[in-house]
Amino acid sequence: MNRDKKILYAFTAALFGALLLTLLFQNGLWQRIALAVVAVLSCVLVTLLIKKRSILKIEKWQVLWFLPVIGVIAIGFYFLFGLRFGWTSQTVVPSVIWERILPFAVIIGGFEWTRQVLLSQNNKWVTGASFVIFVVLDAILLWEGEFVGNFKQTMEFVGFVLFPAVTSNVLYHFASKRYGMMPVAIYRLIMACYAYVLPVTPALPKALLAFLRLLLPIAVFLFLRMLYERRRFVVAQKSVYVKTATTAVTMILMTLWIMLISCEFSYGLLVIATESMTGSIDRGDAIIYKEYNGEPIQEEQVVVYEKNGVTVIHRVVRVEHINGEVRYYTKGDFNENEDAGYITAQDIVGVTDVTLKYIGYPTLWMRDILNR
């Protein structure tokens, strides 16, 4: 291995390590400052240590304005959802420039320069490693919760943050390799900062916002290929489209699954982890339930309720009306005795709608691994 490759591999590994170290800071201003410092150091070191090779920039100037225009159009389309879902008001303060926009500008500019230099090396290992690095970077910037949490938090992180970060960096890698860093950097800056300078933003459900983040990069990627790639449409190129479409469909389906688990729709999905309902709903099955909106519950209905912080799926065996309060008594089909106490409408989360046999086992296995 020659000296240039050693430097290249050492730099890539060091960059990944430095990025992980920023996780030691809590989400907020200090983490953004830490990422900005890493971005500046990365930009300086990659310029001094790694020789930037020239790359063929196809349709550079057209794409330089095309990507930002797409970003503005996407934001306009996003704001149309406010007519349906309403708006969230916010106070725009001058400090947002120093606390948000400036750090984002430094982070995006430094890392996009680093991306372009690394991609210009035409080294498959470095290209793959840098893709992972930038996916991790976007995940850090997007995620607002704890990285180490319960199973639900982990699934939300995968569906709402990790998948959109993957599809976004497919677009960024593609565009940076062919058109240079500037179109990508401007597009990213627009998409990252518009919410901090506008007094209102659409109050979209988390599920819909995740879908938009997932689908927009795929749509822009495919549109760029069709609009500016002037090569002949050969079998090899068709396979790229097939692979891209297959990956996109797979991620969309997995995101849908995660959204159901996270109960982001009027319907939710729960995996049965115990044997209390064996006979009608077995361990490893999954149930789809409809969100409870106060409608009367009848005996023999299977309900999802929360009691003392625990989610339970049991059958209603008795209903009593006492002093104007409706009390529901529940029991697991496999249990000999009724559950202790009773539940009320305030405890009920949903009413079971469909049972899916056996498909919950992979989720149980993942939960067991995460809880070890």
Side-chain angles (χ1 to χ4, degrees), residues 178-229:
R178 287 161 175 77
Y179 315 117
M181 64 163 283
M182 287 304 297
V184 178
I186 297 172
Y187 171 84
R188 293 197 65 183
L189 193 60
I190 291 172
M191 300 303 289
C193 297
Y194 73 90
Y196 303 117
V197 296
L198 299 175
V200 295
T201 54
L204 262 68
K206 188 190 296 185
L208 182 56
L209 185 59
F211 259 120
L212 293 178
R213 287 175 175 171
L214 181 73
L215 294 177
L216 178 62
I218 297 172
V220 176
F221 167 75
L222 294 175
F223 192 62
L224 277 176
R225 289 191 67 92
M226 289 187 293
L227 192 61
Y228 291 114
E229 295 294 297

Side-chain angles (χ1 to χ4, degrees), residues 70 73 79 196 213 256 315:
I70 287 294
I73 292 173
F79 269 77
Y196 303 117
R213 287 175 175 171
L256 269 173
R315 192 180 302 278

Side-chain angles (χ1 to χ4, degrees), residues 20-189:
L20 293 181
L21 285 177
T22 64
L23 295 176
L24 297 176
F25 296 88
Q26 294 183 349
N27 288 319
L29 178 60
W30 285 109
Q31 187 176 71
R32 290 192 293 273
I33 292 175
L35 286 170
V37 170
V38 173
V40 171
L41 291 175
S42 170
C43 186
V44 171
L45 291 175
V46 80
T47 303
L48 295 176
L49 299 177
I50 301 174
K51 180 181 178 182
K52 183 179 181 298
R53 304 176 187 277
S54 60
I55 58 175
L56 179 62
K57 298 177 181 177
I58 308 170
E59 308 289 358
K60 172 185 174 182
W61 297 111
Q62 289 91 327
V63 179
L64 182 60
W65 65 262
F66 172 79
L67 270 182
V69 167
I70 287 294
V72 173
I73 292 173
I75 293 169
F77 180 75
Y78 167 59
F79 269 77
L80 289 177
F81 283 100
L83 301 176
R84 167 63 178 83
F85 296 101
W87 309 90
T88 299
S89 300
Q90 61 180 355
T91 302
V92 179
V93 295
S95 62
V96 76
I97 296 176
W98 310 107
E99 294 180 2
R100 295 277 185 172
I101 296 177
L102 183 59
F104 276 135
V106 174
I107 292 168
I108 291 171
F111 277 105
E112 286 308 322
W113 172 253
T114 301
R115 187 200 304 266
Q116 180 174 312
V117 174
L118 293 179
L119 291 179
S120 72
Q121 306 304 305
N122 291 318
N123 183 299
K124 291 183 178 180
W125 188 92
V126 171
T127 298
S130 64
F131 182 82
V132 173
I133 289 171
F134 294 120
V135 166
V136 172
L137 170 66
D138 278 10
I140 294 173
L141 292 173
L142 283 173
W143 185 238
E144 297 178 352
E146 297 179 359
F147 280 92
V148 179
N150 57 32
F151 178 76
K152 182 178 178 181
Q153 285 178 314
T154 303
M155 290 295 98
E156 287 183 351
F157 172 76
V158 171
F160 301 156
V161 174
L162 187 59
F163 284 171
V166 170
T167 59
S168 294
N169 279 280
V170 169
L171 170 64
Y172 302 153
H173 253 45
F174 170 80
S176 183
K177 177 76 172 178
R178 287 161 175 77
Y179 315 117
M181 64 163 283
M182 287 304 297
V184 178
I186 297 172
Y187 171 84
R188 293 197 65 183
L189 193 60

